[in-house]
Amino acid sequence: MALVQPLDPNHDPDTRKLAEFFNETLGFCPNSVLTMQHRPAISKAFINLNKAVMANEGRVTSALKRMIAWVSSNATGCRYCQAHAIRAAERYGAAQEQLDNIWEYRTHPAFSEAERAALDFSLQASQVPNAVDAEIKTRLYQYWNEGEIVEMLGVISLFGYLNRWNDSQGTDIEEGAVESANQYLGKHGWEKGKHDGSRY
């Protein structure tokens, strides 16, 4: 059971309308958003930020953004967000080989050098202390422009918020996210952890 219980999806009509966005990305409204509804200004601001961050204005694809989110969540250890990110990557058309080999993105041939730079950036930016340095900046600028780098950092920062929210909450993980995580991450030891409904 989570630290704070999610509210009914119909609790706040404005949140409910905005949350239709997640029916596309995940196939359901996440429990994290339903919990934020305890203060609707937070749930609405979060959904609007999420929509802005995930909008594609350059060459950073929806699938790559979700893989960036997965790397960030993996670095911080949030099992809930790992599952959501891999599910969204799947729903947004990430190549099967990439989904099956996300753990080996640095060496697997399914990933381009541009994608590797983006994913390494996510890993370095998600560490504490922060590990972004001149070398990763040089690599990023080989493949991406400033606007695209801002989009990537938006994803990383958004998931920094989500990782802290969901790991502190012990947010109960939804069945659809569990299915995707078991399929793509289970072979590497993914499990629900504190998100199995029994933490508190």
Side-chain angles (χ1 to χ4, degrees), residues 9-187:
N10 297 312
H11 174 78
D12 178 65
D14 293 335
T15 297
R16 185 188 68 235
K17 181 66 177 168
L18 285 168
E20 291 174 3
F21 167 74
F22 296 107
N23 292 331
E24 177 186 328
T25 60
L26 296 169
F28 53 82
C29 182
N31 284 329
S32 54
V33 172
L34 298 179
T35 304
M36 291 177 205
Q37 286 189 114
H38 283 275
R39 293 294 180 263
I42 295 176
S43 59
K44 289 182 282 191
F46 168 75
I47 296 169
N48 280 319
L49 177 61
N50 196 316
K51 291 171 75 172
V53 165
M54 292 304 183
N56 300 318
E57 299 186 34
R59 295 169 298 140
V60 187
T61 65
S62 293
L64 180 56
K65 285 186 176 183
R66 274 63 184 195
M67 289 188 285
I68 288 168
W70 180 83
V71 168
S72 181
S73 300
N74 191 51
T76 63
C78 181
R79 303 296 181 112
Y80 182 91
C81 292
Q82 291 167 20
H84 279 223
I86 203 71
R87 179 173 179 83
E90 175 186 30
R91 290 175 65 89
Y92 275 101
Q96 188 69 44
E97 253 195 313
Q98 290 185 327
L99 292 167
D100 288 335
N101 297 284
I102 186 72
W103 291 85
E104 289 84 35
Y105 78 83
R106 285 182 160 166
T107 57
H108 197 279
F111 295 88
S112 69
E113 289 303 318
E115 290 168 329
R116 288 189 182 102
L119 297 172
D120 276 346
F121 175 48
S122 180
L123 179 63
Q124 290 176 233
S126 302
Q127 295 174 7
V128 178
N130 190 288
V132 173
D133 58 16
E135 180 182 354
I136 192 63
K137 178 180 178 181
T138 299
R139 287 178 59 207
L140 284 170
Y141 274 86
Q142 285 182 301
Y143 306 104
W144 306 102
N145 65 38
E146 288 185 330
E148 291 162 341
I149 293 168
V150 165
E151 285 189 53
M152 293 177 203
L153 191 53
V155 174
I156 296 162
S157 300
L158 179 73
F159 273 79
Y161 170 85
L162 283 169
N163 294 160
R164 282 165 178 77
W165 182 277
N166 290 303
D167 257 358
S168 298
Q169 275 278 357
T171 307
D172 294 345
I173 192 163
E174 307 84 2
E175 190 53 40
V178 172
E179 290 171 7
S180 296
N182 284 336
Q183 180 177 354
Y184 299 111
L185 309 177
K187 62 186 174 185

